[in-house]
Amino acid sequence: MRTYEVRTYGCQMNVHDSERLSGLLEEAGYVAAPTGEDADVVVFNTCAVRENADNKLYGNLGHLAPKKAQRPGMQIAVGGCLAQKDRATITRKAPWVDVVFGTHNIGSLPALLDRARAQEEAQVEILESLEVFPSTLPTKRESAYAAWVSVSVGCNNTCTFCIVPSLRGKEKDRRPGEILSEIEALVAEGVSEITLLGQNVNAYGVEFGDRQAFSKLLRACGGIEGLERVRFTSPHPAEFTDDVIEAMAETHNVMPSLHMPLQSGSDQVLRAMRRSYRQERYLGIIDRVRAAIPDAAITTDIIVGFPGETEEDFRQTLEVVEQARFSGAFTFQYSKRPGTPAATLPDQIDAATVKDRYERLVEVVNDVAWAENKRQVGRTLEVMVAEGEGRKDAATHRLSGRAPDNRLVHFQAPETEVRPGDVATVTVTYAAPHHLVADGDATVRRTRSGDAWAARTAAPAPATIGLGMPSVGAPPPLPDAPVCG
């Protein structure tokens, strides 16, 4: 059997797309390459948001070139946003690449690999619009207990720094019934946490004309038995309405966590970014969320060094961070992307100034996050045990997981068996800027998600060698028959 490896860069949308790419390849007969072994097919699912995305891709492709030369039959495929943007440029710069496909036709990958192998030449196929909603494709999910669920793809906004709308296209919404059916099927398989995904998730419903479709969807998730945690990302402040806040507060399994991109605290910079909200509206949303959900943890995205940003503009961003009391922030130095309006704006900021502002921002963000985390000390939390969250767990003999508000918690492992997907009740004893520690006794609730993880990771029964003699007793059961339609 031919083996495969998918390497993913970028946002949660790309992570979920990679699960689909893995599902497609396995349905076509490929198997995942064992860890540490070279695969027969390597797929890069790329991102085009950051300035160094191109360099990272071509550097990785360059490392694979000699391996491919020594390994007849090895194939390399490049997909995702950078492939959508660069198209045939990839095969010109890296002629050893076999397949280039875009964001709208990930379902074509197995056929393109077959065609490239048969014709012995690179296949480049980029579609300009979505033909099949990606959620209809087979998916190999990374987790047995938590899952991404797309509610929409594409974006109708025109932020001047962002290249995503030109690569992902206009927003396309799934029907609520399709989304809820997918969630119910996941829960039946043992999933207990889902994250609703969209480039602008709270604009969901714009395509079929229901401005309250997203809040209705959140409430409908509350009626799914066995679904313990619902999250969503990423909303846009311009369309974050009070009905969504009410749905979050009143729906028992919608978690008290919110990722709300700020980008800048300066009205002047927000205007230049074409972000259709201002500082006052943003802080008003934060206040209303905190009034309805006092324990909510709010995270954000912030860009420093946008063209024309003055020291006063930057100071206003720091003030918003102080007022909003974020529990964490993804901070970025402005990255000029060809094809975006911001790339041609005057008053580009010099690199030294951008770096200085970035370092000052990170310091304030960390101070605020640490202060907010210290307020968690002494609280008792239900932590969903995760797989691979704590890099030092082996050394500290701790386990790790996420609290309802999505804070990362490292906790003392109890004597009883604990599996990813189970829920541990712990008391916080220490706070750091980016995580909490709970070193006291923990009680564990075994869950269907833990059962699902155990079933997925169980070693297969060892094969036995028969001698051609008939067995004694009832014959083994027949395998399940395929289900029609």
Side-chain angles (χ1 to χ4, degrees):
M1 288 188 179
R2 288 173 63 76
T3 60
Y4 76 90
E5 176 191 0
V6 179
R7 302 185 187 182
T8 309
Y9 305 95
C11 65
Q12 297 96 331
M13 300 292 286
N14 268 20
V15 172
H16 192 24
D17 282 349
S18 288
E19 291 183 330
R20 297 190 182 104
L21 291 170
S22 296
L24 283 159
L25 290 170
E26 297 211 350
E27 187 178 68
Y30 295 80
V31 295
T35 303
E37 293 188 16
D38 292 333
D40 296 314
V41 173
V42 179
V43 183
F44 291 90
N45 191 9
T46 63
C47 173
V49 171
R50 309 300 299 154
E51 189 172 12
N52 66 351
D54 309 58
N55 295 335
K56 182 179 290 187
L57 172 65
Y58 293 117
N60 287 323
L61 291 176
H63 287 144
L64 281 183
K67 291 184 179 182
K68 188 172 189 292
Q70 297 168 9
R71 224 178 137 172
M74 181 181 178
Q75 291 183 290
I76 300 171
V78 179
C81 288
L82 194 61
Q84 187 79 22
K85 180 175 78 74
D86 282 359
R87 305 178 182 234
T89 305
I90 293 172
T91 53
R92 179 172 55 80
K93 290 187 174 182
W96 54 92
V97 169
D98 299 275
V99 170
V100 179
F101 62 101
T103 59
H104 299 308
N105 63 320
I106 63 176
S108 302
L109 176 60
L112 291 171
L113 289 168
D114 289 345
R115 195 186 309 161
R117 194 160 56 245
Q119 298 181 5
E120 297 183 342
E121 64 179 11
Q123 301 295 309
V124 179
E125 183 175 289
I126 305 290
L127 301 184
E128 296 301 330
S129 60
L130 198 66
E131 290 187 340
V132 177
F133 201 93
S135 290
T136 62
L137 301 173
T139 303
K140 181 187 178 184
R141 301 197 179 257
E142 290 187 357
S143 170
Y145 51 89
W148 310 104
V149 175
S150 289
V151 304
S152 62
V153 293
C155 181
N156 293 341
N157 291 318
T158 58
C159 302
T160 55
F161 58 82
C162 185
I163 198 169
V164 169
S166 64
L167 304 178
R168 292 274 182 178
K170 293 291 186 182
E171 181 173 326
K172 295 287 184 183
D173 293 331
R174 295 175 73 190
R175 292 291 167 174
E178 295 177 11
I179 297 168
L180 295 171
S181 293
E182 181 179 353
I183 295 171
E184 288 168 351
L186 289 167
V187 171
E189 294 171 4
V191 168
S192 57
E193 176 178 310
I194 62 104
T195 301
L196 302 173
L197 277 184
Q199 229 82 48
N200 184 6
V201 70
N202 58 318
Y204 172 70
V206 65
E207 194 178 26
F208 51 86
D210 186 350
R211 295 181 64 84
Q212 295 191 340
F214 188 64
S215 62
K216 292 175 183 176
L217 183 61
L218 291 178
R219 291 183 186 276
C221 287
I224 298 177
E225 186 176 354
L227 180 59
E228 297 192 19
R229 295 186 172 193
V230 178
R231 306 186 190 278
F232 59 89
T233 193
S234 286
H236 193 293
E239 287 140 343
F240 202 86
T241 50
D242 287 347
D243 61 294
V244 173
I245 298 173
E246 292 165 5
M248 290 177 66
E250 296 169 6
T251 308
H252 71 97
N253 57 0
V254 175
M255 294 294 96
S257 62
L258 175 64
H259 184 74
M260 178 73 79
L262 169 65
Q263 307 305 2
S264 173
S266 160
D267 286 355
Q268 173 181 301
V269 174
L270 289 172
R271 191 175 297 110
M273 289 178 167
R274 287 191 205 148
R275 301 285 288 179
S276 48
Y277 57 89
R278 299 295 176 258
Q279 181 193 115
E280 183 178 2
R281 172 169 172 74
Y282 185 93
L283 289 172
I285 293 170
I286 302 299
D287 289 343
R288 293 197 298 279
V289 169
R290 290 243 162 84
I293 314 167
D295 293 332
I298 301 173
T299 56
T300 196
D301 297 332
I302 302 173
I303 298 171
V304 296
F306 189 80
E309 180 189 71
T310 64
E311 182 63 23
E312 172 60 20
D313 293 325
F314 176 67
R315 186 188 63 78
Q316 291 178 32
T317 296
L318 296 182
E319 288 180 355
V320 173
V321 172
E322 293 277 7
Q323 290 183 57
R325 311 304 299 171
F326 296 119
S327 62
F330 295 96
T331 52
F332 305 93
Q333 300 180 47
Y334 169 71
S335 179
K336 184 190 294 187
R337 300 306 292 137
T340 62
T344 59
L345 288 176
D347 301 323
Q348 300 282 330
I349 311 298
D350 66 275
T353 300
V354 175
K355 183 173 183 289
D356 173 69
R357 289 177 184 170
Y358 176 79
E359 291 172 350
R360 288 155 58 196
L361 171 65
V362 169
E363 183 177 359
V364 173
V365 164
N366 286 343
D367 286 347
V368 169
W370 197 0
E372 290 301 300
N373 276 359
K374 287 176 181 176
R375 295 174 57 192
Q376 304 297 309
V377 174
R379 288 192 65 193
T380 299
L381 305 173
E382 282 199 336
V383 176
M384 181 173 288
V385 183
E387 184 177 25
E389 285 269 28
R391 287 174 293 179
K392 298 180 181 178
D393 284 355
T396 61
H397 303 291
R398 294 187 178 114
L399 299 175
S400 297
R402 294 282 172 175
D405 64 10
N406 212 33
R407 283 183 167 93
L408 178 62
V409 182
H410 305 298
F411 64 96
Q412 184 176 321
E415 294 182 1
T416 56
E417 180 192 22
V418 185
R419 307 159 305 175
D422 288 339
V423 175
T425 301
V426 303
T427 301
V428 179
T429 56
Y430 171 79
H434 305 297
H435 67 267
L436 304 173
V437 173
D439 271 342
D441 293 335
T443 59
V444 177
R445 173 167 61 87
R446 293 172 71 85
T447 66
R448 293 184 313 105
S449 290
D451 295 342
W453 179 88
R456 176 188 281 199
T457 56
T464 58
I465 300 174
L467 300 177
M469 301 294 288
S471 59
V472 177
L478 293 171
D480 291 338
V483 178
C484 295

